[in-house]
Amino acid sequence: MQHDDTYCPSDLSLTHRMRFLLLFSRQGKLRLQKWFTPMTEREKKKIIRDMTSMVLSRQPRSCNFLHWKDLKIIYKRYASLYFCLAIENQENELLALEVIHRYVELLDKYFGNVCELDIIFNFEKAYFILDEFLMGGEIQETSKQMINRSIEASDMLQETMEEYMSKPAF
Amino acid sequence: MSDVVEKTLTALPSLLSLDSQPGAAKLSSTSKLGNLIRGITELTSKHEEEKLIQRELTSIKEQVSSPNTSMRQMKELMVRATYCEMLGYEASFSYIHAIKLAQQGTALEKRVGYLAVSLFLNEDHELLLLLVNTVLKDLQSTNLIEVCMALTVVSQMFPKDMIPAILPLVEEKLNHPKEIIRRKAVLALYKFYQIAPNQVQHIHNKFRKALCDKDPGVMTASLHIYLQMIKENPEGYKDLTASVVTILKQVVGGKLPMDFNYHSVPAPWLQIQLLRILSLLGKNDHSTSEIMYEVLDESLRRAEMNHNITYAILYECVKCIYTIHPKSELLEKAAKCIGNFVLSQKINLKYLGLKALTYVVQQDPRLALQHQMTIIECLDHPDLIIKRETLELLFRITNAQNVTVIVEKMLEFLRISKDDYTTTDLVGKVAELAEKYAPDNEWFIETMNTVFSVGGDVMQPDIPNSFLKLLSEGFDSVEEDRKLRQFAVDSYVSLLQGGPGKLPQRFLQVISWVLGEYSHLSEELDPATVLSLLSKLLDSKNTSSETKSWVLVAMTKLCEGRAGVSVAREVSETYSSSLDTALRQRAQELQHLSQDSELRARVLPRDASREPLEVDSSLSFLDGFVSEALAAGAAPYKPPHQRQEELAQEKALSLEPYGLSLPISMSSCSIGDRQSPTLLSVSSGLSGDSIELSHKGGSATLKLDGVKRVWGREGYLSKRESVEETAQVEVPSPLRSPSQQGEADKSHNQTPTPTPTPEPEQEKQQLASSLFVGLGSQSSVCLMGKSDLTNQRFRRKARCPGTSSGSSEITSNSIVSPPSMVDSLLYNNLLDSNITSELDLASPQSPPQLSQDLSTANGTCDVDLTDRDVTANNPSIIRDNGVVAAEDPDKPTDLCLSSHLPAELSGLSRSEITALCSHQSLHLSACHVQGDDSLALVVFILNSSDSDVQQMLLQLDSDQLEVSSVSESPVQEVRGDSVVVCQYSLTVKRPSVLVEVCGVMSFMCSVGTPQSVQFSYKLPLASFIRPLTVSTEEYGTMWLAFSHDTKQNLTLMREDRESLTATLNVLKNKLQLHVVEIIGMEGIVACRLLPDQPCLMHCRINAGTLAVWLRSPIPDLPDCLIYHCQRALQEH
């Protein structure tokens, strides 16, 4: 039959490789949440609850992957912070683990030896970095220099560091 | 970034380093946010936190609404508000202010504004509309940072309906000098492609430019789009293979800037993306796969470093190698690679190895044999995740010989698993395996008992349904059916006697149905016993009222004799006063039917559950009542939407103003392309209706329909001709009474449950031999899913052609012997005269000489004259018939096959004849023929060998179409060197842009082995569209009655005054629409979807475009039709 090289609504399967990314502390306190697909508040709350209880109850040295509904949960602990990324079932789990790791590296590069406090107090910066790194559930830029350069460029443009640090916002 | 920024950057390293100190956190903690955070950490209870946050939110609320708050303060407030939201407290009052901040703030404030918007709002939030103008402005800004921010927010969330407003600006950015802008623009378009694909159709060639971008980042971004597009249509992008291979070669060879390295691996994300594209392109395509072997080999070789990221690449590489056309050398290397994964001590790698193995064993089960000991170890792994993945693997290698062991392992896992989702999934798989491979009746019933008790109320509802269907429809042997049913009855009676308290409701429903229907089969069983068991069930507190209904119905079937009647009276008295109406109804039925045994025999005949029920969905039995009411002066019924419309509308034309020139209601165009994440694949792997799936060739996850199967259980299939299937070993065991059941249980458990023995190794060996039996070379080969069919114990009978919509018995109207030259010439000449007259009517403007071009350009809709012209010129082609086909498979086949077209179809316009599939000397082709009131699908079966093909059975099925055979007697054989033609008439059940028919043909060659081939045939919905002749008045009434609609702007054919007429004429000719009337700038058009589903179209010229509004009673029809209109105009 003829082949149709344009949109065909009947067999469109959406791929969102990543569904959400959560950062939470050992006590289960949420530090950052990013949802790559639309979700209701209710769903979000349920997921956050499920994730913290599932991930925190894992034994050390067990597999970094979990099943949750039809998704795979990839989690990793860095110091006191858990990073937890949900991907589609057929995705590559190891790669997702490296996505988390790369994000941590980016944070580290930006904050310099990043700790949980940096992310708590500057959570909006953590979001900016994430938005340069991942976009709509896909890897956007994997080059560390590029990401930092664009973050810093935005930082620099309007506000000098001095101003940023010395004065409280108002 | 801009040069200015870059300069600033280089000038500021000292400032930056300040920020990089850990002290940064402490410094900013003096801010209000810092105070808030510290305040929270000092609290001890959740309650205190709540109070503190509420106080905080009140103060934020006050400040944001104060006119004196500066944007700078607003920025700080938004950060605090997002923090509160993150803690789970709602701050919806701040949403509008976040939008305002994005709109009015300076760059840095804007950025916080955009961030807050993206964190606060969902994609479908109505406030997002307010962001459109801001985004528009920022996209046009000269400040690159603002452009970046706008693109970032657009690719995270943007109202679908508003895409046209910013699309040109985003498109423009593809040519921007800065690569970061180009990259973000590509990603924004990717987002658009996902949420509204038909809006970015026209810029596909620009994607190609992005793919060739000199910046690797932009190229990488464009691959996201390509991956998606290739997934949807791999055929359309085969020409990309060489470029993708070249790119991968360069990446693997380290030609990219060092900047892209990750732990000294060159651009791993890019590599993986490329590998995924390659596997899509090379799937089932030998020549394309050929191009990539070398680079795949190199990838395998290069990825040797001991790091997670290289394993991730290797995994993707292995998957690719097993997806594309196989090459033994690579397969060997890939298998070794999987071995390394599985044997690794690192648990993550082991997991991935199991996953790879699961993927691979479907094609090559011998690989599972190699790793059987590791798999056994994983089965007892302390980590449940590993265990679960191992079961998944075992599920794929289950066959009739190892089914008992594997199912036992699965049930074992089910008993310890607490997660509902896993339970649902596994229970479905167990049920599927049990239906497919059950060795005997007892095992089947007992396994299903466990499935029902464990799966209980979380299992998919189709499992009990399909089980009951299986029981009631029965199999090929009446005696077997009786035994199975009787065993089920006995088993359930003993279950009920043991105390039904713990059994889930669904199971109780199954039990009551089976007892009601079949307890008479068990001779020693007294109906009174069953009745008393059932009434005990009724009295139980744990029984839900839905289950009680089932029980009452079962009792109604059983209440025979004096004892029965008295029980019935007692029960019906109790329940006829129940508050539940359904129960009351059942109780009434029970009461009446128990007193009148004749009536009961008529209403509930024994063994009649498989008679199809006739449901009068039009409620015609109410006609009398309605006409009486009408005669008495009642108003005729109008559906709610019609009532509303009539209030608002009066005229037939120009029914509603077209508000904005932007196509606001695009939303209905792409219904269904947003799905909730968890819903995406819920139903796919779990279907209990597994038989349907196995018909299509194997497993639920691999889609094999219509795909030539290259790999079988024993490896590459095309090497061997055909393999005898091993006969089933099991002998149907005699029925055992429940008292013997315990014994049966024991004997079952011996193999699966390892009893503690001094030598654990030996025990594992034993388990291994029982798990992996049937995977070796001596086992049966699964050829095109055929062996699944024969090995299956519980095979459903073929459905009767009248009752089911899907498969129908295949017939053909004429068996055509090889035609002699004279015959076919005569035949063709006769047709010729016929055709030309027809053709003159259809397309008077195209002379026959031109039609050759026409038909090649668009074979679907135009009248195809080619073959006749050519046949007249070279009559010799016809004489050679089948022989020519072998030399040049495409064109001549069409020529010679077209002469076999049934006479009544020969004058009509038809599509080109396309090859569907071939199996040795048997070739299947098909075309569709458009009649005035019908669409016929003609399947040609060409047997080019000398020997006959017998016991042929052709079955067609489709989700979207109703397929019915035209001829009465089914064709069962094709003689050597001849062609058989089967004709089907198709109507649309569920409209979709392209509709597809899937088919299976099973047959027996002269050698005597059963074979089968699968194929699929796609045709556009446009082939089902016919003109609908109505008057303007009729159009008006119909318009009001239809509820499904869609609106879109189409391009006009010409710019002048006649543009409407010209455009409508194009549509009329291409899509066979009927133009009802054209008044000035407006036109109304009508058509129908065969046989008689109307669709109306209202067109109006509006600001240089054609605003089209489609309405129909059929959902999806307007959306599909608008798509074809769009295409018709594009092609013109």
Side-chain angles (χ1 to χ4, degrees):
Chain A
M1 243 346 271
Q2 64 167 126
H3 276 288
D4 216 37
D5 59 349
T6 46
Y7 164 56
C8 175
S10 57
D11 54 10
L12 183 83
S13 59
L14 264 193
T15 51
H16 279 283
R17 295 194 161 67
M18 297 169 218
R19 298 297 184 74
F20 55 81
L21 173 72
L22 301 179
L23 267 65
F24 48 83
S25 68
R26 258 188 308 174
Q27 292 76 35
K29 283 250 183 285
L30 190 65
R31 296 302 180 209
L32 188 136
Q33 52 174 343
K34 187 82 195 175
W35 308 91
F36 298 113
T37 44
M39 249 175 260
T40 63
E41 286 307 314
R42 235 183 125 91
E43 285 171 316
K44 287 182 188 173
K45 281 199 174 135
K46 163 110 175 61
I47 289 174
I48 293 168
R49 218 172 34 240
D50 283 5
M51 288 308 116
T52 43
S53 67
M54 267 170 70
V55 170
L56 291 176
S57 65
R58 294 284 289 170
Q59 299 294 318
R61 301 178 60 79
S62 45
C63 192
N64 288 71
F65 315 138
L66 286 171
H67 291 257
W68 184 80
K69 301 218 165 155
D70 57 341
L71 299 179
K72 283 280 169 63
I73 310 299
I74 315 301
Y75 73 93
K76 188 153 189 197
R77 183 176 154 182
Y78 288 87
S80 58
L81 212 53
Y82 281 92
F83 288 69
C84 167
L85 179 65
I87 56 171
E88 285 190 348
N89 207 359
Q90 68 273 21
E91 280 298 304
N92 189 328
E93 289 86 356
L94 278 183
L95 193 67
L97 210 50
E98 294 313 298
V99 167
I100 292 178
H101 188 73
R102 172 42 63 110
Y103 181 47
V104 174
E105 284 181 352
L106 289 168
L107 290 172
D108 206 52
K109 174 129 183 160
Y110 181 79
F111 288 109
N113 205 0
V114 66
C115 67
E116 193 186 338
L117 282 181
D118 290 318
I119 294 172
I120 299 176
F121 286 107
N122 299 286
F123 73 96
E124 83 276 18
K125 301 263 192 251
Y127 275 118
F128 291 144
I129 295 174
L130 186 63
D131 283 346
E132 287 302 313
F133 175 45
L134 302 177
M135 195 181 257
E138 300 281 359
I139 295 281
Q140 181 191 177
E141 178 60 67
T142 57
S143 144
K144 259 195 268 191
Q145 277 91 332
M146 285 295 281
I147 296 177
N148 274 308
R149 220 183 290 156
S150 65
I151 297 282
E152 284 154 10
S154 323
D155 278 356
M156 286 307 111
L157 189 74
Q158 288 292 311
E159 192 175 36
T160 66
M161 288 319 292
E162 189 195 13
E163 194 183 357
Y164 182 62
M165 291 181 306
S166 58
K167 294 179 204 159
F170 55 94
Chain B
M1 290 295 103
S2 74
D3 295 342
V4 183
V5 178
E6 269 164 22
K7 270 179 208 155
T8 332
L9 262 181
T10 44
L12 283 174
S14 51
L15 280 175
L16 257 182
S17 65
L18 266 179
D19 186 44
S20 304
Q21 277 156 16
K26 274 178 215 119
L27 279 167
S28 50
S29 67
T30 54
S31 67
K32 291 224 164 174
L33 174 70
N35 287 335
L36 172 66
I37 293 168
R38 251 179 292 115
I40 292 170
T41 47
E42 280 158 17
L43 297 177
T44 47
S45 73
K46 184 79 189 159
H47 180 65
E48 284 177 330
E49 181 190 293
E50 220 162 89
K51 272 203 300 195
L52 180 77
I53 302 279
Q54 288 309 343
R55 249 200 334 269
E56 183 77 18
L57 284 175
T58 327
S59 106
I60 296 176
K61 195 173 183 175
E62 252 166 48
Q63 289 178 59
V64 288
S65 42
S66 145
N68 298 327
T69 312
S70 71
M71 280 298 136
R72 192 179 157 71
Q73 288 165 323
M74 194 67 99
K75 174 188 138 216
E76 200 275 341
L77 287 168
M78 282 306 125
V79 172
R80 271 195 285 156
T82 45
Y83 192 82
C84 293
E85 280 239 325
M86 180 158 72
L87 293 177
Y89 300 88
E90 200 206 298
S92 54
F93 62 85
S94 52
Y95 297 172
I96 185 75
H97 297 284
I99 290 181
K100 225 161 83 185
L101 185 63
Q103 196 170 32
Q104 297 167 0
T106 53
L108 196 74
E109 293 148 13
K110 208 183 243 311
R111 187 167 66 151
V112 173
Y114 274 133
L115 175 71
V117 168
S118 74
L119 292 176
F120 285 149
L121 302 184
N122 250 341
E123 210 151 293
D124 38 14
H125 200 286
E126 50 189 5
L127 278 180
L128 267 187
L129 282 177
L130 297 176
L131 199 69
V132 174
N133 256 330
T134 316
V135 169
L136 258 178
K137 205 181 78 199
D138 286 341
L139 280 177
Q140 286 161 307
S141 162
T142 48
N143 184 337
L144 291 184
I145 308 255
E146 286 181 352
V147 179
C148 275
M149 284 191 252
L151 286 172
T152 307
V153 81
V154 157
S155 41
Q156 293 185 60
M157 53 195 321
F158 199 73
K160 188 159 53 178
D161 306 338
M162 284 299 156
I163 290 174
I166 59 163
L167 187 59
L169 284 171
V170 177
E171 241 181 283
E172 199 178 275
K173 297 285 178 284
L174 288 176
N175 298 321
H176 201 277
K178 279 286 160 207
E179 58 276 355
I180 185 172
I181 305 272
R182 291 203 301 275
R183 195 182 70 218
K184 282 184 188 269
V186 170
L187 284 167
L189 290 175
Y190 172 58
K191 173 79 178 180
F192 295 166
Y193 181 77
Q194 285 188 318
I195 59 175
N198 39 7
Q199 305 219 350
V200 288
Q201 253 173 32
H202 60 287
I203 41 179
H204 280 194
N205 56 337
K206 292 202 177 156
F207 294 153
R208 220 163 256 251
K209 218 181 127 208
L211 184 66
C212 306
D213 199 287
K214 61 179 186 296
D215 180 69
V218 183
M219 185 266 291
T220 311
S222 77
L223 289 181
H224 294 310
I225 303 183
Y226 273 103
L227 186 67
Q228 185 73 33
M229 293 196 298
I230 294 172
K231 203 178 265 173
E232 279 156 27
N233 169 32
E235 293 306 317
Y237 298 91
K238 295 278 179 185
D239 57 320
L240 280 182
T241 316
S243 336
V244 176
V245 167
T246 322
I247 298 174
L248 184 55
K249 243 182 221 161
Q250 289 177 352
V251 176
V252 173
K255 297 272 162 39
L256 284 192
M258 288 293 282
D259 203 24
F260 286 88
N261 283 10
Y262 175 78
H263 293 260
S264 52
V265 178
W269 278 275
L270 175 58
Q271 282 196 45
I272 282 170
Q273 199 80 338
L274 292 167
L275 285 170
R276 284 177 180 163
I277 290 181
L278 285 184
S279 62
L280 288 176
L281 288 171
K283 193 174 179 182
N284 301 312
D285 185 337
H286 192 163
S287 58
T288 311
S289 301
E290 208 65 66
I291 310 174
M292 41 187 103
Y293 290 145
E294 193 196 329
V295 74
L296 287 176
D297 192 44
E298 198 177 339
S299 293
L300 274 186
R301 216 155 18 83
R302 293 260 187 173
E304 274 167 354
M305 233 190 41
N306 190 14
H307 188 276
N308 266 348
I309 196 76
T310 49
Y311 291 125
I313 297 175
L314 277 178
Y315 172 77
E316 219 62 47
C317 221
V318 166
K319 246 178 111 172
C320 180
I321 289 171
Y322 271 95
T323 311
I324 63 173
H325 188 90
K327 187 183 183 198
S328 56
E329 220 179 291
L330 280 177
L331 289 174
E332 228 166 80
K333 286 183 185 170
K336 217 177 109 197
C337 206
I338 294 180
N340 290 341
F341 274 77
V342 176
L343 295 173
S344 167
Q345 287 308 306
K346 289 181 183 161
I347 189 163
N348 289 343
L349 286 190
K350 207 182 254 307
Y351 177 90
L352 216 62
L354 285 172
K355 200 176 157 184
L357 213 49
T358 310
Y359 182 75
V360 166
V361 285
Q362 302 173 59
Q363 297 152 341
D364 184 6
R366 280 170 306 171
L367 218 53
L369 275 180
Q370 275 175 31
H371 298 294
Q372 42 178 309
M373 289 322 283
T374 322
I375 295 174
I376 301 282
E377 270 163 30
C378 291
L379 208 49
D380 288 326
H381 201 280
D383 198 334
L384 280 188
I385 306 300
I386 300 283
K387 224 172 174 166
R388 174 80 182 75
E389 202 60 31
T390 316
L391 289 179
E392 194 68 38
L393 169 62
L394 291 179
F395 171 70
R396 306 272 173 216
I397 57 166
T398 311
N399 56 33
Q401 280 134 313
N402 60 14
V403 63
T404 46
V405 193
I406 290 180
V407 163
E408 183 55 37
K409 285 281 164 194
M410 288 176 147
L411 293 178
E412 215 171 85
F413 186 88
L414 272 173
R415 288 187 196 108
I416 52 169
S417 159
K418 287 183 191 70
D419 171 37
D420 279 358
Y421 189 83
T422 314
T423 308
T424 314
D425 184 43
L426 265 186
V427 154
K429 285 185 169 139
V430 172
E432 184 184 335
L433 292 180
E435 267 191 28
K436 244 190 194 165
Y437 301 115
D440 54 56
N441 288 336
E442 289 96 285
W443 185 88
F444 178 65
I445 295 296
E446 272 157 26
T447 306
M448 289 311 283
N449 283 355
T450 324
V451 163
F452 290 137
S453 359
V454 177
D457 298 320
V458 298
M459 75 183 153
Q460 297 276 321
D462 55 351
I463 297 177
N465 290 348
S466 142
F467 174 74
L468 292 182
K469 208 171 153 205
L470 199 97
L471 273 187
S472 65
E473 282 182 353
F475 322 107
D476 297 332
S477 135
V478 179
E479 183 54 21
E480 272 294 286
D481 292 350
R482 204 185 59 79
K483 278 185 187 160
L484 179 68
R485 289 168 189 162
Q486 196 176 344
F487 188 82
V489 168
D490 292 343
S491 152
Y492 294 159
V493 166
S494 65
L495 266 176
L496 286 187
Q497 278 163 345
K502 311 172 289 291
L503 299 178
Q505 300 302 317
R506 290 255 187 83
F507 192 16
L508 290 177
Q509 292 164 9
V510 168
I511 291 178
S512 350
W513 190 86
V514 172
L515 288 182
E517 204 67 30
Y518 298 120
S519 61
H520 63 90
L521 290 175
S522 193
E523 276 137 23
E524 349 41 303
L525 199 62
D526 182 13
T529 324
V530 182
L531 274 179
S532 79
L533 281 174
L534 287 175
S535 62
K536 225 186 270 168
L537 207 55
L538 273 183
D539 296 338
S540 161
K541 268 184 203 147
N542 297 330
T543 315
S544 74
S545 59
E546 192 195 349
T547 311
K548 281 182 180 166
S549 292
W550 286 72
V551 175
L552 282 174
V553 174
M555 291 176 98
T556 317
K557 291 175 191 162
L558 290 173
C559 54
E560 257 171 11
R562 188 169 296 164
V565 173
S566 76
V567 172
R569 186 176 305 133
E570 203 176 298
V571 168
S572 54
E573 265 167 28
T574 322
Y575 285 95
S576 52
S577 58
S578 161
L579 285 177
D580 189 309
T581 39
L583 276 183
R584 226 158 48 219
Q585 163 96 15
R586 301 285 165 235
Q588 287 293 333
E589 284 168 13
L590 173 62
Q591 194 183 358
H592 288 291
L593 293 178
S594 67
Q595 281 158 10
D596 187 345
S597 59
E598 226 170 84
L599 179 65
R600 188 165 57 92
R602 225 156 18 101
V603 175
L604 297 165
R606 197 164 267 184
D607 257 341
S609 55
R610 30 184 309 230
E611 299 298 319
L613 278 180
E614 275 178 32
V615 178
D616 183 1
S617 59
S618 65
L619 306 178
S620 62
F621 54 88
L622 287 175
D623 283 353
F625 177 77
V626 171
S627 56
E628 260 174 46
L630 285 176
Y637 175 74
K638 285 175 191 160
H641 58 89
Q642 190 181 347
R643 268 172 271 161
Q644 269 185 353
E645 294 258 1
E646 282 182 6
L647 284 177
Q649 313 295 338
E650 278 166 38
K651 287 173 196 164
L653 271 182
S654 183
L655 300 162
E656 234 174 57
Y658 288 98
L660 288 167
S661 58
L662 282 174
I664 291 253
S665 63
M666 282 300 299
S667 50
S668 58
C669 268
S670 32
I671 291 168
D673 53 6
R674 271 260 157 280
Q675 281 167 318
S676 103
T678 48
L679 264 176
L680 274 177
S681 57
V682 172
S683 58
S684 62
L686 313 172
S687 165
D689 205 359
S690 52
I691 294 202
E692 242 64 67
L693 284 171
S694 63
H695 269 299
K696 289 179 182 164
S699 82
T701 41
L702 252 197
K703 283 185 193 134
L704 288 175
D705 355 5
V707 167
K708 200 175 148 218
R709 181 111 165 222
V710 200
W711 279 90
R713 294 247 154 139
E714 257 211 340
Y716 193 43
L717 283 181
S718 60
K719 283 181 203 154
R720 50 193 77 240
E721 293 298 309
S722 56
V723 180
E724 288 264 358
E725 283 163 30
T726 48
Q728 222 188 318
V729 236
E730 290 76 20
V731 190
S733 42
L735 171 80
R736 288 178 224 191
S737 70
S739 57
Q740 285 171 295
Q741 224 174 288
E743 256 177 69
D745 277 349
K746 257 181 254 159
S747 64
H748 268 304
N749 288 341
Q750 266 169 6
T751 5
T753 341
T755 42
T757 52
E759 290 154 292
E761 267 313 302
Q762 200 186 339
E763 178 197 309
K764 278 182 183 169
Q765 291 284 7
Q766 220 176 341
L767 180 58
S769 62
S770 49
L771 274 177
F772 298 96
V773 62
L775 291 180
S777 51
Q778 77 282 8
S779 72
S780 61
V781 165
C782 179
L783 194 70
M784 317 300 293
K786 180 66 185 169
S787 79
D788 274 356
L789 283 178
T790 45
N791 273 343
Q792 218 164 287
R793 177 182 179 80
F794 299 121
R795 179 155 43 116
R796 235 162 246 167
K797 283 179 183 169
R799 282 176 269 175
C800 6
T803 51
S804 76
S805 55
S807 58
S808 49
E809 296 277 315
I810 301 322
T811 48
S812 133
N813 53 347
S814 59
I815 299 177
V816 188
S817 53
S820 73
M821 181 184 123
V822 184
D823 275 352
S824 14
L825 269 179
L826 267 175
Y827 192 57
N828 277 291
N829 284 341
L830 270 174
L831 294 180
D832 259 344
S833 54
N834 214 342
I835 291 149
T836 29
S837 56
E838 279 280 340
L839 206 116
D840 284 340
L841 283 175
S843 52
Q845 68 272 54
S846 64
Q849 292 95 308
L850 282 178
S851 62
Q852 185 161 359
D853 301 337
L854 255 177
S855 64
T856 42
N858 182 2
T860 42
C861 297
D862 297 304
V863 179
D864 195 343
L865 251 191
T866 337
D867 47 320
R868 279 165 230 115
D869 286 349
V870 182
T871 42
N873 296 339
N874 330 316
S876 61
I877 287 176
I878 289 164
R879 185 179 35 197
D880 292 334
N881 197 345
V883 187
V884 174
E887 288 164 16
D888 188 354
D890 298 330
K891 203 66 187 162
T893 323
D894 189 296
L895 293 184
C896 60
L897 287 176
S898 63
S899 64
H900 292 284
L901 209 63
E904 70 270 22
L905 299 179
S906 51
L908 305 167
S909 74
R910 66 165 172 88
S911 68
E912 275 179 88
I913 297 175
T914 31
L916 294 174
C917 60
S918 318
H919 187 273
Q920 291 161 9
S921 57
L922 208 62
H923 307 280
L924 262 71
S925 321
C927 69
H928 57 270
V929 185
Q930 289 176 243
D932 285 343
D933 274 303
S934 62
L935 189 98
L937 175 70
V938 185
V939 181
F940 302 90
I941 306 164
L942 168 71
N943 181 3
S944 59
S945 72
D946 313 331
S947 47
D948 299 354
V949 170
Q950 278 150 352
Q951 297 196 12
M952 199 177 74
L953 181 65
L954 183 63
Q955 289 186 303
L956 297 189
D957 196 5
S958 168
D959 294 340
Q960 302 127 340
L961 296 172
E962 194 91 44
V963 186
S964 55
S965 175
V966 171
S967 37
E968 290 301 312
S969 58
V971 178
Q972 284 176 334
E973 57 163 14
V974 190
R975 272 182 277 152
D977 286 325
S978 69
V979 176
V980 161
V981 178
C982 303
Q983 190 186 337
Y984 299 90
S985 125
L986 305 181
T987 49
V988 178
K989 275 194 292 194
R990 197 160 55 75
S992 142
V993 167
L994 278 181
V995 288
E996 189 177 19
V997 184
C998 298
V1000 186
M1001 188 175 79
S1002 55
F1003 56 92
M1004 196 92 106
C1005 282
S1006 52
V1007 200
T1009 45
Q1011 315 260 9
S1012 75
V1013 289
Q1014 301 180 340
F1015 54 87
S1016 75
Y1017 185 80
K1018 280 188 185 173
L1019 57 169
L1021 191 78
S1023 345
F1024 294 90
I1025 300 292
R1026 300 289 178 274
L1028 176 67
T1029 323
V1030 288
S1031 67
T1032 309
E1033 289 74 34
E1034 284 165 338
Y1035 182 99
T1037 24
M1038 285 163 83
W1039 181 266
L1040 292 176
F1042 297 165
S1043 49
H1044 299 278
D1045 69 345
T1046 190
K1047 290 181 208 171
Q1048 195 164 353
N1049 286 356
L1050 299 181
T1051 41
L1052 278 167
M1053 289 323 307
R1054 290 200 308 229
E1055 289 296 314
D1056 58 20
R1057 286 174 53 210
E1058 291 302 303
S1059 57
L1060 180 62
T1061 324
T1063 313
L1064 289 186
N1065 272 336
V1066 171
L1067 290 178
K1068 179 184 158 190
N1069 291 336
K1070 287 222 169 175
L1071 294 175
Q1072 302 209 32
L1073 309 177
H1074 171 69
V1075 180
V1076 181
E1077 199 174 354
I1078 298 179
I1079 310 170
M1081 304 294 265
E1082 288 178 52
I1084 52 176
V1085 181
C1087 66
R1088 67 196 158 102
L1089 182 70
L1090 284 174
D1092 50 6
Q1093 308 290 7
C1095 183
L1096 304 180
M1097 184 166 150
H1098 177 228
C1099 312
R1100 203 172 75 125
I1101 294 190
N1102 188 22
T1105 57
L1106 187 68
V1108 177
W1109 190 1
L1110 283 164
R1111 274 198 182 190
S1112 168
I1114 314 295
D1116 298 338
L1117 180 56
D1119 288 333
C1120 299
L1121 198 63
I1122 197 102
Y1123 169 85
H1124 283 290
C1125 290
Q1126 221 168 359
R1127 272 191 66 100
L1129 292 177
Q1130 267 167 14
E1131 278 165 12
H1132 189 74

